[in-house]
């Protein structure tokens, strides 16, 4: 029993160390440029300089139509964006003009949230084509990544993006995975700096750091979301620029060389190709059991854990497995001291996708991190879950 516990603790420590091996960090700034002309200057440079000085890269989610509107006729913004691309930052397309042709409201345009109606594929393709033309004409850029207007993307949007050869989407409400043929999604995690004021500066900084160390590490990446015009030097004396710089200084001190700053497209390629090892492991990965991050996370009553069982395997014959055979699956939840809290699954399963629910309110648990551990044959993997009571 003691030996079992020791072995488990070693496995637990090992899995935490592996999870903490490295973190991909993406900085996505939406609504370049917003219609806000009171917060000046309308410039991306101060923010970009602060991020660059700390080794970071920015993914600018550009509203194409803004580049051809009066306030940007002088070409200053398009010049800045062209130079930004040359320095390794990325232009991501963010709709076309943020004006809905169904209801006339601004802020959404490919799915009408006022009438709750989808735009047709032809309509969405027309919006994409208008945006692509402006980006090509003003910046000489063909964007690879897309942020849906109002952050709402339906399956028709996915089909339209795939038809225009976009490989990367950054959409909330969908996981980090292929969501459509050829289209891979990397959702943003959180935004801390919307209309930020000095009074919440420190608390937001601490929240972001713990969020990144918990959810970022369990997801393998963290996508920090910001919005124009709050990242401009003219907003609250450059408060958001200072805040982002302080956050990156803390992250660099904590992770050292284990943090990898990437644009959305770079991160997409990194995860899609499994290029962490420089080897294409796609086939092997496809045959390994998968324990996904629980959703929601953090959670306060119950949470769902999805997992995939591959064919019965042993490490020497990974690819010669039969999909029909069964694998013994156990999924258990432990606290940080290695004490078993719940058994969510313990049975023979054939290859396929499954899900288990963890109802924390059935147990008398305190708030904190719990470990969900899956054993599938000789394969062992674990995820951290954050319970907030
Ligand atoms: Zn937007
Ligand atoms: Zn609308």
């Amino acid at each position: 029993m003691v030996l079992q516990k020791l072995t488990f603790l070693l496995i637990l420590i090992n899995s935490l160390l592996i999870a903490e091996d490295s973190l991909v960090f993406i900085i996505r700034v939406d609504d370049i440029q917003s219609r806000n002309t009171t917060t000046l200057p309308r410039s991306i440079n101060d923010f970009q300089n602060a991020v660059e000085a700390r080794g970071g890269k920015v993914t600018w989610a550009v509203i194409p139509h803004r580049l051809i509107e009066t306030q940007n006729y002088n070409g200053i913004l398009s010049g800045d964006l062209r130079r930004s691309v040359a320095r390794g930052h990325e232009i991501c397309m963010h709709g076309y003009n943020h004006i809905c042709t169904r209801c006339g409201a601004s802020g959404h345009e490919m799915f009408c949230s006022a009438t709750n109606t989808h735009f047709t594929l032809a309509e969405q393709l027309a919006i994409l084509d208008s945006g692509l033309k402006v980006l090509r004409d003003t910046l000489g850029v063909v964007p690879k990544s897309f942020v849906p207007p109002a952050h709402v993307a339906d399956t028709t949007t996915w089909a339209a993006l795939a038809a225009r050869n976009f490989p990367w989407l950054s959409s909330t409400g969908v996981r980090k995975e292929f969501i459509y043929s050829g289209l891979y999604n990397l959702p943003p995690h959180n935004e801390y700096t919307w209309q930020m004021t000095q009074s919440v500066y420190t608390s937001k900084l601490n929240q972001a750091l713990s969020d990144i160390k918990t959810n970022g590490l369990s997801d393998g990446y963290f996508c920090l979301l910001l919005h124009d015009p709050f990242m401009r030097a003219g907003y609250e004396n450059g408060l958001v620029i200072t805040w982002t710089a302080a956050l990156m200084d803390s992250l660099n001190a904590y992770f050292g060389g284990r943090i990898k700053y990437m644009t959305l497209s770079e991160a997409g390629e990194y995860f899609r190709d499994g290029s962490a090892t420089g080897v294409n492991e796609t086939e092997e990965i496809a045959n390994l059991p998968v324990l996904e991050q629980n959703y929601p996370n953090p959670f306060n009553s119950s949470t769902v854990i999805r997992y995939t069982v591959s064919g019965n395997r042993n490490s020497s014959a990974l690819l010669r497995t039969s999909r029909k055979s069964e694998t013994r699956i156990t999924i258990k939840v432990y606290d940080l001291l290695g004490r078993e809290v719940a058994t969510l699954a313990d049975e023979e399963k054939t290859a396929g996708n499954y899900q288990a629910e963890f109802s924390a309110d059935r147990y008398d648990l305190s708030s904190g991190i719990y470990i969900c551990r899956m054993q599938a044959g000789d394969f062992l993997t674990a995820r951290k879950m954050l319970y907030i009571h």
Side-chain angles (χ1 to χ4, degrees):
M1 192 59 197
V2 172
L3 190 63
Q4 242 182 347
K5 265 198 173 158
L6 266 178
T7 311
F8 171 69
L9 272 177
L10 281 176
I11 290 165
L12 176 64
I13 288 165
N14 195 34
S15 70
L16 291 178
L17 283 176
I18 290 167
E20 288 182 5
D21 191 33
S22 66
L23 176 74
V24 169
F25 200 82
I26 304 163
I27 298 172
R28 183 186 118 188
V29 188
D30 283 13
D31 294 354
I32 304 296
Q33 294 275 1
S34 74
R35 290 185 184 279
N36 186 311
T37 51
T38 56
T39 305
L40 295 170
R42 287 174 68 81
S43 169
I44 60 168
N45 292 332
D46 298 285
F47 182 83
Q48 176 177 293
N49 291 342
V51 169
E52 245 184 41
R54 288 160 181 83
K57 294 185 175 189
V58 188
T59 300
W60 306 109
V62 174
I63 302 170
H65 196 264
R66 297 290 187 271
L67 288 161
I68 52 171
E69 289 173 17
T70 327
Q71 64 271 25
N72 292 318
Y73 270 165
N74 56 20
I76 292 173
L77 176 64
S78 48
D80 284 347
L81 286 171
R82 272 196 300 269
R83 279 185 291 276
S84 184
V85 171
R87 299 174 77 89
H89 305 282
E90 177 173 339
I91 305 295
C92 163
M93 192 162 128
H94 186 30
Y96 173 53
N97 64 3
H98 271 37
I99 294 171
C100 178
T101 53
R102 296 245 165 111
C103 74
S106 67
H108 64 266
E109 59 177 313
M110 289 167 82
F111 178 92
C112 179
S113 46
T115 61
N116 204 30
T117 52
H118 295 242
F119 277 57
T120 65
L121 180 65
E123 287 169 331
Q124 298 206 29
L125 285 172
I127 290 169
L128 292 184
D129 289 341
S130 304
L132 287 167
K133 181 178 188 318
V134 171
L135 292 181
R136 188 183 63 225
D137 292 350
T138 55
L139 304 179
V141 158
V142 179
K144 287 190 168 146
S145 56
F146 190 84
V147 168
H151 303 181
V152 180
D154 66 327
T155 50
T156 309
T157 309
W158 300 351
L161 290 169
R164 289 300 177 264
N165 300 313
F166 277 94
W168 321 117
L169 174 68
S170 187
S171 179
T172 36
V174 189
R175 295 151 177 279
K176 179 182 106 186
E177 61 189 6
F178 275 107
I179 56 171
Y180 194 87
S181 168
L183 187 66
Y184 190 91
N185 186 51
L186 277 167
H189 281 82
N190 223 331
E191 175 163 16
Y192 294 92
T193 51
W194 179 270
Q195 296 184 340
M196 197 173 76
T197 57
Q198 188 68 54
S199 64
V200 294
Y201 182 95
T202 308
S203 64
K204 293 281 184 191
L205 198 54
N206 291 334
Q207 273 175 34
L209 279 168
S210 86
D211 189 8
I212 292 162
K213 287 175 190 172
T214 321
N215 294 314
L217 280 176
S218 49
D219 292 347
Y221 84 108
F222 193 92
C223 178
L224 181 74
L225 179 59
L226 298 100
H227 273 83
D228 180 73
F230 310 116
M231 60 86 199
R232 294 185 209 163
Y235 175 76
E236 300 278 316
N237 294 319
L239 185 72
V240 172
I241 299 175
T242 313
W243 186 92
T244 307
L247 178 72
M248 291 180 75
D249 287 340
S250 298
L251 292 174
N252 287 340
Y254 181 81
F255 288 101
R258 293 177 299 127
I259 190 162
K260 297 177 171 71
Y261 292 106
M262 295 188 190
T263 67
L264 257 174
S265 293
E266 287 169 346
E269 274 170 37
Y270 179 84
F271 289 117
R272 183 194 58 187
D273 300 339
S275 57
T277 57
V279 177
N280 190 336
E281 293 176 315
T282 314
E283 257 207 314
E284 291 205 355
I285 286 167
N287 277 282
L288 284 172
V290 176
L291 176 68
E292 295 192 18
Q293 187 62 51
N294 61 305
Y295 187 84
N297 188 46
F299 64 103
N300 63 20
S301 58
S302 73
T303 188
V304 171
I305 296 130
R306 298 203 300 181
Y307 60 99
T308 303
V309 176
S310 55
N312 188 18
R313 57 171 289 269
N314 62 55
S315 42
S316 58
L318 196 59
L319 301 174
R320 286 178 276 118
T321 54
S322 157
R323 292 206 161 265
K324 288 198 179 77
S325 63
E326 297 199 323
T327 307
R328 184 90 198 167
I329 302 294
T330 54
I331 297 180
K332 294 186 173 189
V333 177
Y334 297 85
D335 67 15
L336 278 181
L337 296 174
R339 290 179 299 216
E340 189 179 316
V341 170
T343 299
L344 305 183
D346 188 5
E347 57 200 304
E348 302 278 330
K349 285 198 180 287
T350 52
N353 299 314
Y354 299 91
Q355 64 178 46
E357 190 170 349
F358 176 46
S359 301
D361 43 16
R362 292 219 314 245
Y363 309 89
D364 186 25
L365 302 177
S366 47
S367 295
I369 293 174
Y370 289 84
I371 309 293
C372 179
R373 186 178 69 143
M374 174 170 81
Q375 175 122 31
D378 60 357
F379 178 87
L380 190 63
T381 185
R383 288 277 190 180
K384 281 184 283 186
M385 310 187 291
L386 182 60
Y387 174 55
I388 297 171
H389 186 43

